[in-house]
Amino acid sequence: MSRDGTSRPADRLAAVLRPVRAGNGFEEALEQILQVVRLGLVPGGERLPAERELAERLGVSRVTLREVLKVLQEQGLVEARRGRYGGTFVLRRADGGGQDELRRRIASVDIEDVLRFREVLEVGAAGLCASHGLDEGQASRLRAALDRTRDAPLGEYRRLDTLLHLTLAELCGSPSLTARYAAVRATVNDLLDCIPLLVRNLEHSQRQHAALVEAVLDGDADGARETMREHCAGTAALLRGFLA
């Protein structure tokens, strides 16, 4: 935690990066780093943690990790840079919306299943945070995540929105819920990338975010759950309208 109460990158990555199982080390490591990229936990143009740190956090060898990073490079998601300030950098993603890209992304996605599972996890996390209560440090993290979404540049809004929701999932106290939320949110982000950013919708979402955080900090579990349910329903309506 930094002095201003915001999460450092390492804190955010903890929601996704965890030791993999021995039998599927390569596949699970690839899945987790893909989630880091798709969730925007490391923004485009910034560097992933050093290979040594990533390998330790994932519990894989550096040989395995390099194979994973090679796949990400081949997919155009990261690039390796040499030199004193080198490393593996996340490439900036082009805007979604093209018809070919849209069809590719949603071809195998059951949109209704994704949206329902997301709602269950988000509503549950909001209720748990409110009913169990947050300590001073946790409350500060949540407020800081909300503050970063205010007046965010349009191109950064979805990434910062993701971090707010992921922070809430982390604070609910269930690592299993957090891991599953990170996975489903990555899929939701792929879907969101296929539809336009609507300023009116973002303004509405921001009001819901503020009400949600207020309910959580006030210990109003029913209010937090209902606000989150409405928030998820708004996103679902947009996705169904554009993609269903």
PDB file of all heavy atoms in Angstrom, residues 118 122 125 142 145 160-170 181 185 209 212 228 231-232 235:
ATOM      1  N   ARG A 118     -21.235 -13.410 -13.625  1.00  0.00           N
ATOM      2  CA  ARG A 118     -20.659 -12.146 -13.167  1.00  0.00           C
ATOM      3  C   ARG A 118     -21.551 -11.505 -12.103  1.00  0.00           C
ATOM      4  O   ARG A 118     -21.069 -11.030 -11.074  1.00  0.00           O
ATOM      5  CB  ARG A 118     -20.493 -11.196 -14.346  1.00  0.00           C
ATOM      6  CG  ARG A 118     -19.853  -9.871 -13.957  1.00  0.00           C
ATOM      7  CD  ARG A 118     -20.633  -8.680 -14.426  1.00  0.00           C
ATOM      8  NE  ARG A 118     -20.010  -7.437 -13.949  1.00  0.00           N
ATOM      9  CZ  ARG A 118     -20.204  -6.260 -14.494  1.00  0.00           C
ATOM     10  NH1 ARG A 118     -20.977  -6.137 -15.547  1.00  0.00           N
ATOM     11  NH2 ARG A 118     -19.629  -5.186 -13.983  1.00  0.00           N
ATOM     12  N   GLU A 122     -20.411 -10.605  -8.307  1.00  0.00           N
ATOM     13  CA  GLU A 122     -20.324  -9.188  -7.932  1.00  0.00           C
ATOM     14  C   GLU A 122     -21.292  -8.846  -6.796  1.00  0.00           C
ATOM     15  O   GLU A 122     -20.938  -8.139  -5.853  1.00  0.00           O
ATOM     16  CB  GLU A 122     -20.628  -8.316  -9.152  1.00  0.00           C
ATOM     17  CG  GLU A 122     -19.581  -8.415 -10.248  1.00  0.00           C
ATOM     18  CD  GLU A 122     -18.799  -7.134 -10.401  1.00  0.00           C
ATOM     19  OE1 GLU A 122     -18.504  -6.485  -9.381  1.00  0.00           O
ATOM     20  OE2 GLU A 122     -18.490  -6.794 -11.556  1.00  0.00           O
ATOM     21  N   ALA A 125     -19.965 -10.398  -3.600  1.00  0.00           N
ATOM     22  CA  ALA A 125     -18.807  -9.698  -3.067  1.00  0.00           C
ATOM     23  C   ALA A 125     -19.214  -8.390  -2.397  1.00  0.00           C
ATOM     24  O   ALA A 125     -18.723  -8.048  -1.311  1.00  0.00           O
ATOM     25  CB  ALA A 125     -17.794  -9.428  -4.180  1.00  0.00           C
ATOM     26  N   LEU A 142     -10.586   1.090  -1.269  1.00  0.00           N
ATOM     27  CA  LEU A 142     -11.811   1.155  -2.053  1.00  0.00           C
ATOM     28  C   LEU A 142     -12.092   2.589  -2.489  1.00  0.00           C
ATOM     29  O   LEU A 142     -12.464   2.841  -3.643  1.00  0.00           O
ATOM     30  CB  LEU A 142     -12.977   0.598  -1.234  1.00  0.00           C
ATOM     31  CG  LEU A 142     -14.305   0.444  -1.973  1.00  0.00           C
ATOM     32  CD1 LEU A 142     -14.148  -0.474  -3.184  1.00  0.00           C
ATOM     33  CD2 LEU A 142     -15.385  -0.095  -1.034  1.00  0.00           C
ATOM     34  N   ALA A 145      -9.738   3.519  -5.305  1.00  0.00           N
ATOM     35  CA  ALA A 145     -10.121   2.906  -6.578  1.00  0.00           C
ATOM     36  C   ALA A 145     -11.286   3.662  -7.215  1.00  0.00           C
ATOM     37  O   ALA A 145     -11.327   3.859  -8.433  1.00  0.00           O
ATOM     38  CB  ALA A 145     -10.490   1.442  -6.359  1.00  0.00           C
ATOM     39  N   LEU A 160      -9.791   1.347 -15.480  1.00  0.00           N
ATOM     40  CA  LEU A 160      -9.927   1.788 -14.090  1.00  0.00           C
ATOM     41  C   LEU A 160     -11.223   1.272 -13.473  1.00  0.00           C
ATOM     42  O   LEU A 160     -11.277   0.983 -12.268  1.00  0.00           O
ATOM     43  CB  LEU A 160      -9.861   3.311 -14.028  1.00  0.00           C
ATOM     44  CG  LEU A 160      -8.507   3.889 -14.474  1.00  0.00           C
ATOM     45  CD1 LEU A 160      -8.566   5.407 -14.528  1.00  0.00           C
ATOM     46  CD2 LEU A 160      -7.390   3.429 -13.546  1.00  0.00           C
ATOM     47  N   ASP A 161     -12.257   1.143 -14.279  1.00  0.00           N
ATOM     48  CA  ASP A 161     -13.501   0.524 -13.822  1.00  0.00           C
ATOM     49  C   ASP A 161     -13.248  -0.924 -13.407  1.00  0.00           C
ATOM     50  O   ASP A 161     -13.718  -1.389 -12.362  1.00  0.00           O
ATOM     51  CB  ASP A 161     -14.543   0.591 -14.942  1.00  0.00           C
ATOM     52  CG  ASP A 161     -15.776  -0.238 -14.645  1.00  0.00           C
ATOM     53  OD1 ASP A 161     -16.590   0.185 -13.812  1.00  0.00           O
ATOM     54  OD2 ASP A 161     -15.935  -1.323 -15.256  1.00  0.00           O
ATOM     55  N   THR A 162     -12.476  -1.643 -14.219  1.00  0.00           N
ATOM     56  CA  THR A 162     -12.118  -3.021 -13.886  1.00  0.00           C
ATOM     57  C   THR A 162     -11.396  -3.096 -12.560  1.00  0.00           C
ATOM     58  O   THR A 162     -11.680  -3.954 -11.716  1.00  0.00           O
ATOM     59  CB  THR A 162     -11.231  -3.622 -14.992  1.00  0.00           C
ATOM     60  OG1 THR A 162     -11.970  -3.692 -16.212  1.00  0.00           O
ATOM     61  CG2 THR A 162     -10.759  -5.022 -14.618  1.00  0.00           C
ATOM     62  N   LEU A 163     -10.451  -2.179 -12.339  1.00  0.00           N
ATOM     63  CA  LEU A 163      -9.683  -2.199 -11.097  1.00  0.00           C
ATOM     64  C   LEU A 163     -10.559  -1.913  -9.879  1.00  0.00           C
ATOM     65  O   LEU A 163     -10.338  -2.476  -8.800  1.00  0.00           O
ATOM     66  CB  LEU A 163      -8.540  -1.189 -11.177  1.00  0.00           C
ATOM     67  CG  LEU A 163      -7.462  -1.497 -12.220  1.00  0.00           C
ATOM     68  CD1 LEU A 163      -6.401  -0.408 -12.227  1.00  0.00           C
ATOM     69  CD2 LEU A 163      -6.826  -2.856 -11.958  1.00  0.00           C
ATOM     70  N   LEU A 164     -11.557  -1.050 -10.037  1.00  0.00           N
ATOM     71  CA  LEU A 164     -12.490  -0.798  -8.935  1.00  0.00           C
ATOM     72  C   LEU A 164     -13.249  -2.072  -8.583  1.00  0.00           C
ATOM     73  O   LEU A 164     -13.339  -2.459  -7.408  1.00  0.00           O
ATOM     74  CB  LEU A 164     -13.469   0.317  -9.317  1.00  0.00           C
ATOM     75  CG  LEU A 164     -14.647   0.532  -8.351  1.00  0.00           C
ATOM     76  CD1 LEU A 164     -14.160   0.905  -6.959  1.00  0.00           C
ATOM     77  CD2 LEU A 164     -15.588   1.613  -8.908  1.00  0.00           C
ATOM     78  N   HIS A 165     -13.794  -2.727  -9.579  1.00  0.00           N
ATOM     79  CA  HIS A 165     -14.564  -3.949  -9.329  1.00  0.00           C
ATOM     80  C   HIS A 165     -13.676  -5.062  -8.785  1.00  0.00           C
ATOM     81  O   HIS A 165     -14.090  -5.826  -7.897  1.00  0.00           O
ATOM     82  CB  HIS A 165     -15.254  -4.401 -10.617  1.00  0.00           C
ATOM     83  CG  HIS A 165     -16.449  -3.581 -10.971  1.00  0.00           C
ATOM     84  ND1 HIS A 165     -17.737  -3.974 -10.673  1.00  0.00           N
ATOM     85  CD2 HIS A 165     -16.566  -2.377 -11.587  1.00  0.00           C
ATOM     86  CE1 HIS A 165     -18.601  -3.050 -11.098  1.00  0.00           C
ATOM     87  NE2 HIS A 165     -17.903  -2.074 -11.655  1.00  0.00           N
ATOM     88  N   LEU A 166     -12.457  -5.159  -9.295  1.00  0.00           N
ATOM     89  CA  LEU A 166     -11.547  -6.191  -8.816  1.00  0.00           C
ATOM     90  C   LEU A 166     -11.139  -5.922  -7.374  1.00  0.00           C
ATOM     91  O   LEU A 166     -10.999  -6.858  -6.574  1.00  0.00           O
ATOM     92  CB  LEU A 166     -10.312  -6.247  -9.716  1.00  0.00           C
ATOM     93  CG  LEU A 166      -9.391  -7.452  -9.535  1.00  0.00           C
ATOM     94  CD1 LEU A 166     -10.136  -8.755  -9.777  1.00  0.00           C
ATOM     95  CD2 LEU A 166      -8.194  -7.344 -10.475  1.00  0.00           C
ATOM     96  N   THR A 167     -10.976  -4.651  -7.017  1.00  0.00           N
ATOM     97  CA  THR A 167     -10.663  -4.293  -5.627  1.00  0.00           C
ATOM     98  C   THR A 167     -11.774  -4.753  -4.695  1.00  0.00           C
ATOM     99  O   THR A 167     -11.522  -5.323  -3.622  1.00  0.00           O
ATOM    100  CB  THR A 167     -10.457  -2.772  -5.497  1.00  0.00           C
ATOM    101  OG1 THR A 167      -9.328  -2.378  -6.275  1.00  0.00           O
ATOM    102  CG2 THR A 167     -10.235  -2.369  -4.050  1.00  0.00           C
ATOM    103  N   LEU A 168     -13.017  -4.521  -5.089  1.00  0.00           N
ATOM    104  CA  LEU A 168     -14.153  -4.950  -4.265  1.00  0.00           C
ATOM    105  C   LEU A 168     -14.152  -6.462  -4.105  1.00  0.00           C
ATOM    106  O   LEU A 168     -14.400  -6.979  -3.005  1.00  0.00           O
ATOM    107  CB  LEU A 168     -15.461  -4.477  -4.904  1.00  0.00           C
ATOM    108  CG  LEU A 168     -16.712  -4.617  -4.031  1.00  0.00           C
ATOM    109  CD1 LEU A 168     -16.660  -3.637  -2.871  1.00  0.00           C
ATOM    110  CD2 LEU A 168     -17.964  -4.369  -4.870  1.00  0.00           C
ATOM    111  N   ALA A 169     -13.871  -7.178  -5.197  1.00  0.00           N
ATOM    112  CA  ALA A 169     -13.828  -8.641  -5.123  1.00  0.00           C
ATOM    113  C   ALA A 169     -12.727  -9.104  -4.170  1.00  0.00           C
ATOM    114  O   ALA A 169     -12.924 -10.034  -3.379  1.00  0.00           O
ATOM    115  CB  ALA A 169     -13.613  -9.230  -6.509  1.00  0.00           C
ATOM    116  N   GLU A 170     -11.568  -8.453  -4.228  1.00  0.00           N
ATOM    117  CA  GLU A 170     -10.465  -8.810  -3.323  1.00  0.00           C
ATOM    118  C   GLU A 170     -10.837  -8.591  -1.865  1.00  0.00           C
ATOM    119  O   GLU A 170     -10.499  -9.390  -0.990  1.00  0.00           O
ATOM    120  CB  GLU A 170      -9.239  -7.974  -3.646  1.00  0.00           C
ATOM    121  CG  GLU A 170      -8.476  -8.369  -4.884  1.00  0.00           C
ATOM    122  CD  GLU A 170      -7.203  -7.553  -5.009  1.00  0.00           C
ATOM    123  OE1 GLU A 170      -6.194  -7.961  -4.414  1.00  0.00           O
ATOM    124  OE2 GLU A 170      -7.242  -6.508  -5.675  1.00  0.00           O
ATOM    125  N   TYR A 181     -13.801 -14.288 -10.186  1.00  0.00           N
ATOM    126  CA  TYR A 181     -14.232 -13.001 -10.718  1.00  0.00           C
ATOM    127  C   TYR A 181     -13.233 -12.468 -11.739  1.00  0.00           C
ATOM    128  O   TYR A 181     -13.619 -11.942 -12.786  1.00  0.00           O
ATOM    129  CB  TYR A 181     -14.429 -11.962  -9.615  1.00  0.00           C
ATOM    130  CG  TYR A 181     -14.795 -10.634 -10.221  1.00  0.00           C
ATOM    131  CD1 TYR A 181     -16.036 -10.473 -10.830  1.00  0.00           C
ATOM    132  CD2 TYR A 181     -13.887  -9.580 -10.269  1.00  0.00           C
ATOM    133  CE1 TYR A 181     -16.365  -9.286 -11.454  1.00  0.00           C
ATOM    134  CE2 TYR A 181     -14.220  -8.390 -10.891  1.00  0.00           C
ATOM    135  CZ  TYR A 181     -15.458  -8.253 -11.486  1.00  0.00           C
ATOM    136  OH  TYR A 181     -15.783  -7.085 -12.124  1.00  0.00           O
ATOM    137  N   ARG A 185     -14.369 -11.564 -15.423  1.00  0.00           N
ATOM    138  CA  ARG A 185     -14.245 -10.164 -15.818  1.00  0.00           C
ATOM    139  C   ARG A 185     -13.384 -10.021 -17.076  1.00  0.00           C
ATOM    140  O   ARG A 185     -13.624  -9.144 -17.909  1.00  0.00           O
ATOM    141  CB  ARG A 185     -13.642  -9.352 -14.680  1.00  0.00           C
ATOM    142  CG  ARG A 185     -13.465  -7.867 -15.010  1.00  0.00           C
ATOM    143  CD  ARG A 185     -14.805  -7.158 -15.200  1.00  0.00           C
ATOM    144  NE  ARG A 185     -14.672  -5.850 -15.793  1.00  0.00           N
ATOM    145  CZ  ARG A 185     -15.348  -4.763 -15.398  1.00  0.00           C
ATOM    146  NH1 ARG A 185     -16.188  -4.844 -14.379  1.00  0.00           N
ATOM    147  NH2 ARG A 185     -15.181  -3.618 -16.007  1.00  0.00           N
ATOM    148  N   HIS A 209     -21.405   3.566  -9.039  1.00  0.00           N
ATOM    149  CA  HIS A 209     -20.179   3.261  -8.308  1.00  0.00           C
ATOM    150  C   HIS A 209     -20.136   4.002  -6.974  1.00  0.00           C
ATOM    151  O   HIS A 209     -19.802   3.427  -5.929  1.00  0.00           O
ATOM    152  CB  HIS A 209     -18.950   3.667  -9.137  1.00  0.00           C
ATOM    153  CG  HIS A 209     -18.642   2.762 -10.278  1.00  0.00           C
ATOM    154  ND1 HIS A 209     -17.893   3.153 -11.362  1.00  0.00           N
ATOM    155  CD2 HIS A 209     -18.984   1.467 -10.517  1.00  0.00           C
ATOM    156  CE1 HIS A 209     -17.779   2.154 -12.207  1.00  0.00           C
ATOM    157  NE2 HIS A 209     -18.433   1.121 -11.726  1.00  0.00           N
ATOM    158  N   LEU A 212     -22.601   2.558  -4.573  1.00  0.00           N
ATOM    159  CA  LEU A 212     -22.143   1.244  -4.130  1.00  0.00           C
ATOM    160  C   LEU A 212     -21.094   1.367  -3.036  1.00  0.00           C
ATOM    161  O   LEU A 212     -21.185   0.714  -1.980  1.00  0.00           O
ATOM    162  CB  LEU A 212     -21.572   0.479  -5.325  1.00  0.00           C
ATOM    163  CG  LEU A 212     -20.874  -0.841  -5.024  1.00  0.00           C
ATOM    164  CD1 LEU A 212     -21.866  -1.849  -4.469  1.00  0.00           C
ATOM    165  CD2 LEU A 212     -20.190  -1.374  -6.273  1.00  0.00           C
ATOM    166  N   MET A 228     -25.359  -3.077  -6.741  1.00  0.00           N
ATOM    167  CA  MET A 228     -24.520  -3.863  -7.644  1.00  0.00           C
ATOM    168  C   MET A 228     -25.365  -4.643  -8.642  1.00  0.00           C
ATOM    169  O   MET A 228     -25.011  -4.760  -9.820  1.00  0.00           O
ATOM    170  CB  MET A 228     -23.645  -4.821  -6.841  1.00  0.00           C
ATOM    171  CG  MET A 228     -22.711  -5.649  -7.722  1.00  0.00           C
ATOM    172  SD  MET A 228     -21.508  -4.638  -8.634  1.00  0.00           S
ATOM    173  CE  MET A 228     -20.191  -4.561  -7.417  1.00  0.00           C
ATOM    174  N   HIS A 231     -26.351  -2.271 -11.284  1.00  0.00           N
ATOM    175  CA  HIS A 231     -25.176  -1.918 -12.081  1.00  0.00           C
ATOM    176  C   HIS A 231     -24.864  -3.018 -13.093  1.00  0.00           C
ATOM    177  O   HIS A 231     -24.621  -2.742 -14.283  1.00  0.00           O
ATOM    178  CB  HIS A 231     -23.988  -1.695 -11.148  1.00  0.00           C
ATOM    179  CG  HIS A 231     -22.752  -1.251 -11.843  1.00  0.00           C
ATOM    180  ND1 HIS A 231     -22.676  -0.081 -12.561  1.00  0.00           N
ATOM    181  CD2 HIS A 231     -21.517  -1.823 -11.935  1.00  0.00           C
ATOM    182  CE1 HIS A 231     -21.457   0.055 -13.061  1.00  0.00           C
ATOM    183  NE2 HIS A 231     -20.744  -0.993 -12.695  1.00  0.00           N
ATOM    184  N   CYS A 232     -24.878  -4.263 -12.644  1.00  0.00           N
ATOM    185  CA  CYS A 232     -24.631  -5.387 -13.548  1.00  0.00           C
ATOM    186  C   CYS A 232     -25.715  -5.479 -14.618  1.00  0.00           C
ATOM    187  O   CYS A 232     -25.429  -5.800 -15.780  1.00  0.00           O
ATOM    188  CB  CYS A 232     -24.572  -6.696 -12.756  1.00  0.00           C
ATOM    189  SG  CYS A 232     -23.108  -6.880 -11.715  1.00  0.00           S
ATOM    190  N   THR A 235     -25.013  -2.996 -17.520  1.00  0.00           N
ATOM    191  CA  THR A 235     -23.985  -3.498 -18.435  1.00  0.00           C
ATOM    192  C   THR A 235     -24.526  -4.643 -19.279  1.00  0.00           C
ATOM    193  O   THR A 235     -24.272  -4.708 -20.484  1.00  0.00           O
ATOM    194  CB  THR A 235     -22.751  -3.981 -17.647  1.00  0.00           C
ATOM    195  OG1 THR A 235     -22.250  -2.915 -16.847  1.00  0.00           O
ATOM    196  CG2 THR A 235     -21.658  -4.454 -18.593  1.00  0.00           C
TER     197      THR A 235
END
